[in-house]
Amino acid sequence: MEKRLIIPAFALLAFALVAVGCNDNKELATSQQSRSIILSVSSPTGSVAASRAPVDSWDNTPVSVAYMFAPAVVFDRALTVSVTDNTGEHVNTGMEYPLDNSVVSFIGYHPVAAPNAVGTITYDISKGDVDVMMSNSVSGTLSNTIIGQGTKLVFEHMLTRITFKLQCAPGQSYPEPVFGMRASASGAKSLNTAVTLDLGAENLTFKISGGVFTGDLNGFVIPLFGAPAVIVDMMLQPDVPLAFDVVSLTGDRSITITGDPGGYWANLTAVGGERGKQYTVELAFSGEMILAQNITVTPWINGNQNLGGNSGTWW
């Protein structure tokens, strides 16, 4: 079986791949006879299997893995690995279990960043282009290794993804330049533009209220019907009621919807999107100032191809 490579990105540590396949047992058993700390990394599963975002497949995605050795109680340092296989990877961290059988712990997150002294990372999400992920934590000892327990670092998407497909209505044109999409809060609850991951508590905090703009400040032309649609992806704080505008040369155009049989648009505007789910909004343009009201909203559907600019199979 062909081995898949995991590329090291932490200069002080040496990493080795343990191949996933029929030879795993022998290689893992050999590793477990030593003190090598081996981790298994996996894509989202279980109750949040609907997680989707621009990191649609690992495809050499770099992730950070924070760690602490007892008696330390803070994830204040991390290593970086590149994950290549959606079905899971086994990584030799280059570290060893302590001989005194004390506990070592790990937790993963993305994008790559160094944790601060209290074990937190903050990301700017004001442009809607950051796919924030965090995994569960795993712990083990020399006598009860992490890989021996069969536990994995399972990454989950922390934000809501909204994919806009922009195209002219049949037989219509839209000559005015469009710059992109703006999201803002539609109720009393603020939409925030930064998120902090607390690795020790395994939770996140949104902060700094504002709006989120995603697009091209140079402007673009809405394609005619039949041509490939322009795709605008936004990743936003979940559970915040939202309002959306098309940002164009002569001003913003608010988006409404006349038909919503699934109730998805109503949920976005009255409740907010769900964490780790993708909503697809199709906008048809007509004339210079009018958005045709044939907008549809579809939820993530298992097996669909990515609608954004990233190729690959979704988790």
Side-chain angles (χ1 to χ4, degrees), residues 22-267:
C22 56
N23 293 325
D24 274 4
N25 292 339
K26 180 184 296 184
E27 295 188 44
L28 291 177
T30 301
S31 297
Q32 289 176 44
Q33 290 172 5
S34 68
R35 292 163 50 203
S36 299
I37 300 176
I38 298 172
L39 302 176
S40 182
V41 180
S42 181
S43 54
T45 59
S47 61
V48 273
S51 292
R52 295 295 179 270
V55 178
D56 291 324
S57 62
W58 283 126
D59 193 23
N60 293 311
T61 302
V63 298
S64 288
V65 180
Y67 59 93
M68 63 179 174
F69 283 59
V73 294
V74 176
F75 287 110
D76 62 350
R77 60 196 67 193
L79 55 90
T80 302
V81 297
S82 293
V83 187
T84 65
D85 186 353
N86 259 17
T87 61
E89 299 281 2
H90 292 103
V91 183
N92 187 333
T93 65
M95 293 180 277
E96 296 183 328
Y97 288 101
L99 289 171
D100 63 3
N101 219 39
S102 55
V103 175
V104 294
S105 301
F106 297 84
I107 187 170
Y109 56 93
H110 172 87
V112 168
N116 63 16
V118 295
T120 65
I121 306 99
T122 298
Y123 298 107
D124 178 359
I125 57 173
S126 62
K127 295 180 180 179
D129 60 352
V130 180
D131 179 15
V132 179
M133 294 190 289
M134 185 166 63
S135 80
N136 55 307
S137 63
V138 296
S139 299
T141 64
L142 181 59
S143 63
N144 186 24
T145 64
I146 297 168
I147 198 71
Q149 299 169 26
T151 54
K152 297 181 178 182
L153 293 175
V154 181
F155 284 77
E156 307 288 359
H157 298 289
M158 297 289 105
L159 305 179
T160 296
R161 178 186 183 184
I162 303 173
T163 299
F164 292 94
K165 300 176 67 176
L166 283 61
Q167 190 176 51
C168 288
Q172 302 297 317
S173 62
Y174 196 84
E176 184 180 47
V178 170
F179 299 103
M181 304 298 303
R182 177 180 289 112
S184 57
S186 65
K189 188 174 182 180
S190 297
L191 177 66
N192 292 287
T193 60
V195 61
T196 294
L197 305 184
D198 186 331
L199 301 179
E202 298 183 36
N203 64 17
L204 61 165
T205 302
F206 291 94
K207 54 191 181 182
I208 310 177
S209 61
V212 174
F213 169 80
T214 302
D216 184 350
L217 294 179
N218 292 318
F220 54 86
V221 175
I222 301 298
L224 297 176
F225 183 78
V230 170
I231 303 297
V232 179
D233 266 324
M234 305 183 81
M235 283 155 287
L236 306 165
Q237 177 184 0
D239 304 317
V240 175
L242 297 168
F244 299 97
D245 294 280
V246 176
V247 181
S248 59
L249 181 63
T250 57
D252 294 356
R253 306 282 180 265
S254 62
I255 298 173
T256 58
I257 187 168
T258 57
D260 184 23
Y264 304 115
W265 184 259
N267 283 340

